[in-house]
Amino acid sequence: MQQHALALLRVLLSYYMTNGYAVAVGYLLISAGVGLALGTTAGAAAALGVVVTIPPDMAGPRKGKFRQMIPTPILGVPLFFAVQMLHSSPLELGILIVAGTFVAFLAMAWGKRGAPIAIALMFAIIFSLAVPPQEEVKRLTAALHVTGYFALGALLYVLYSCIVHRWLNPRYRVLMLVDTLLSLADLMRLQARQFGEDSPEMRSEASGGLISRLLARQAALADQIQSTRDVVFESPDSLPRQRLAAMVLHVLDMRDHMIACALDLDTLRQHAGHNTVLVQMHDMLILLARETDNLADAMLFGRKPERPMDYRAQLENLRWAVDDDAMHSDPNRLVTSRNPSPDALVHSLADRIANLNDEVQRLYALARGEGKPNLAAVRASWHLFVSPVAWSIKPFYTLWSWGAPALRHAVRAALAIGTAYVIALLLPWGTHEYWIFLTIVVVLRGSLAQTLERRNLRVGGTLLGCLLALSILSLHPGYLAMILCLTVAQSVAHGLALRKYLYTAVAATILGLIQAHMISASSSTVFALFERTVDTLIGAGIAWLFSYVLPSWERSQIPNLVRRVVKSQVDHARTALDLVQLDAVDNAPELKWRLARKDAYDSLTALVLAAERSLKEPRAVRPPLQPLEMLQAHAYQMLAQLTAVKTLLLLRRGSLPGERLEQPLTRASERIANLLNGKEVIVDTVNADEPAEPVREPTLAAGPEHVPQAWDTNLMPWLERRLEQAVLLAAQIRKDADQLLGR
């Protein structure tokens, strides 16, 4: 019960719900204020302006907030007015709605920044339809009045949003980092399952479902980290902000260590008696995840975190736990350069988990105010790792190709809305066609997978929302009571839109129906539940059917994503193995590597998400899933291998023999680039944890593998083995990519 209460508090105090509360307060202040000052009709119209302006108001950086918010009233007010003027002209109104839908959905070309604008513009059209038409002689006057109140609400909300967002920015910085830490802890627990009991079921899961879940969770975390970067890395001009920014950098390092911590796990499982030591490592990862959770909770509740447990001593004392009989009877215990000793593998695994432990210690030190942030890295990250906030014209130029997903989606949406308009005219309750449009707008997504998910949640949420709205209206609430209900609904609908869409659908239904009831100035509480249900089913059905019209199947996007992954792996390998870092006196080489690493993660995230969406598409149009999954796994493994190398080089900078490292690093970098670019081939490659002998080159390592310790300077065999595995993984990536590209 306590865990459930804690989970609920984490949601209620999260940055996305805090954003929802801020949005709801703005809605309450503006709609109630205008209603009390100018009358309920003016207040209801102003409330519509607020609702339409809300979608782009998300937690983000301070800079560029006004530029993100102002396009909605600039474009939405004329659309709202035009619909008001054409209420009595069905043909012209239909043309306007279809054309407006096409133009609005073109904003999807601007990605995450453009999508809320598109939704907001569609809301301007749809909620204008909800305003009852006036008599012809009064139409212009009535349209100007209601549009004026609508514009007043929209502009007041833009001003409110910019002020409140700036005021909440310090809290957003903390809460977004808290959310990232909680996700990191969840990923750590999932990663720990790879160290679980060595049963056939576990091995089957580790080779299939668990790996897929890890890749999906890594992709989600990468997207979440970027959102956190955009806020936390902005203007770190005070010590508390610098500490938060430094914590994000340590989170990035923890993500790398987590990917690397399972290296050699399959090789270790080939030896007898490994269960005990793997269980200890599993338990250690769970403990570190718990420490990360505790840090996040302390920051969430504004407490100074207590000092964490330091598990470095236990990890350094971790030894090969096997009885003598198993040790002597193990047929795989032969130690060679290609077959490391179990002791070496255990030490390597324990050392990587120890790196995670060290990062947790550094996070706590910064959170407690005891650690000093790396100001050079923080300042560099401020400029280089945040998303641009200025609007660019470049996406507009990419639209005008028939294969452009945004153009096809805009055409698809316009056709769906046009079809819905014709159907609405034929329905006996055609005065409520806006509800069909609203369902299409929120259900129809750019991919079939997202549309199917939204369809089911929308229908269920609408049914429940209709019942709740009917219950509320049956109580004959007054104006302020309805505004209060709308405030709560707006908070939930906006706050959980990207997290729990079912709750958003329920809240949005209540919001839309009560808002329509207010704007119609009707005193009737008899709500047509049947009509709303049928409208929702019609809208969801149309959205589902039109998701197959001019589809942008993921298969068509895969080749470009694969090429991007290969290119980013080449760039990352070159920067990770760059010799300049050995003699550098500043952080420039490390910064260059961090940028290359970010691009590698971003490209893999895009590929993983596309692969996930393709699973919901018809079998006939799916990309070949096996090479796609193998490419993702091998790319993450190569990132892990090179991260292990890079970590070693950074930790031992200045004490490593540069003359001895030059040849293996240069040769490995060249071979990886040649293999990934298709200029070299290694045949009969196998899993990188059991590397086969390359055909065109001898093995990089010679002699028995040595266990690297903190006091040991002879790290060459270990380093060379990592480089060799990275080379073999590069060959696997090229092979997987060729299968996907049809070569």
Side-chain angles (χ1 to χ4, degrees), residues 82-93:
V83 171
Q84 288 294 297
M85 292 300 297
L86 295 177
H87 257 311
S88 62
S89 305
L91 179 60
E92 290 83 351
L93 179 60

Side-chain angles (χ1 to χ4, degrees), residues 205-446:
E205 183 183 25
S207 63
L210 182 57
I211 297 300
S212 299
R213 289 172 61 193
L214 279 168
L215 293 175
R217 197 72 65 83
Q218 284 278 4
L221 180 62
D223 190 57
Q224 192 173 358
I225 286 174
Q226 184 56 52
S227 298
T228 304
R229 274 190 185 121
D230 292 340
V231 175
V232 176
F233 282 171
E234 183 189 31
S235 303
D237 47 12
S238 65
L239 184 57
R241 291 182 182 180
Q242 290 164 2
R243 286 196 172 111
L244 291 174
M247 291 177 73
V248 174
L249 294 178
H250 289 299
V251 166
L252 295 173
D253 291 337
M254 287 183 70
R255 177 186 61 178
D256 289 338
H257 293 316
M258 274 197 289
I259 292 178
C261 74
L263 289 176
D264 305 316
L265 194 55
D266 290 339
T267 305
L268 179 58
R269 282 201 172 102
Q270 296 173 10
H271 299 277
H274 60 268
N275 281 356
T276 302
V277 70
L278 291 184
V279 167
Q280 293 180 54
M281 292 181 179
H282 168 274
D283 294 344
M284 200 62 65
L285 284 172
I286 296 298
L287 289 172
L288 290 173
R290 187 180 304 165
E291 296 287 359
T292 306
D293 276 338
N294 292 339
L295 173 60
D297 290 336
M299 295 176 64
L300 180 66
F301 297 116
R303 301 192 306 255
K304 184 176 181 179
E306 297 180 1
R307 294 184 187 277
M309 289 292 295
D310 190 346
Y311 302 103
R312 167 64 79 165
Q314 291 103 303
L315 287 163
E316 288 185 351
N317 291 330
L318 197 61
R319 290 295 183 265
W320 182 249
V322 65
D323 58 54
D324 293 338
D325 292 337
M327 181 171 52
H328 291 299
S329 63
D330 184 359
N332 297 317
R333 202 168 172 78
L334 177 65
V335 179
T336 67
S337 62
R338 304 301 299 277
N339 189 20
S341 72
D343 293 322
L345 295 174
V346 169
H347 279 292
S348 176
L349 287 165
D351 193 54
R352 277 176 246 134
I353 297 176
N355 289 335
L356 278 173
N357 173 79
D358 293 345
E359 294 298 339
V360 170
Q361 299 298 316
R362 295 184 184 107
L363 284 173
Y364 268 87
L366 287 166
R368 288 172 54 82
E370 299 168 354
K372 293 184 178 180
N374 184 339
L375 295 183
V378 168
R379 287 174 180 141
S381 300
W382 173 18
H383 295 287
L384 297 174
F385 290 92
V386 297
S387 303
V389 295
W391 289 102
S392 171
I393 196 65
K394 291 182 180 179
F396 181 79
Y397 297 130
T398 66
L399 279 170
W400 310 112
S401 167
W402 189 238
L407 177 63
R408 297 169 76 88
H409 188 45
V411 173
R412 186 186 311 126
L415 292 174
I417 292 292
T419 302
Y421 183 71
V422 173
I423 293 175
L425 293 178
L426 300 176
L427 290 175
W429 55 83
T431 55
H432 299 301
E433 71 274 9
Y434 63 87
W435 196 252
I436 302 178
F437 299 157
L438 187 62
T439 301
I440 293 173
V441 167
V442 298
V443 170
L444 186 60
R445 304 282 94 184

Side-chain angles (χ1 to χ4, degrees), residues 151-196:
L152 176 63
L155 293 173
L156 284 175
Y157 187 79
V158 170
L159 180 62
Y160 165 86
S161 173
C162 293
I163 294 173
V164 171
H165 188 269
R166 190 174 187 86
W167 176 63
L168 285 175
N169 180 262
R171 187 59 180 163
Y172 281 149
R173 291 173 187 261
V174 174
L175 293 180
M176 295 188 81
L177 180 55
V178 165
D179 198 52
T180 301
L181 288 171
L182 292 173
S183 297
L184 188 71
D186 287 340
L187 179 60
M188 207 179 303
R189 278 185 281 269
L190 188 61
Q191 188 86 10
R193 299 193 63 181
Q194 291 185 295
F195 293 79

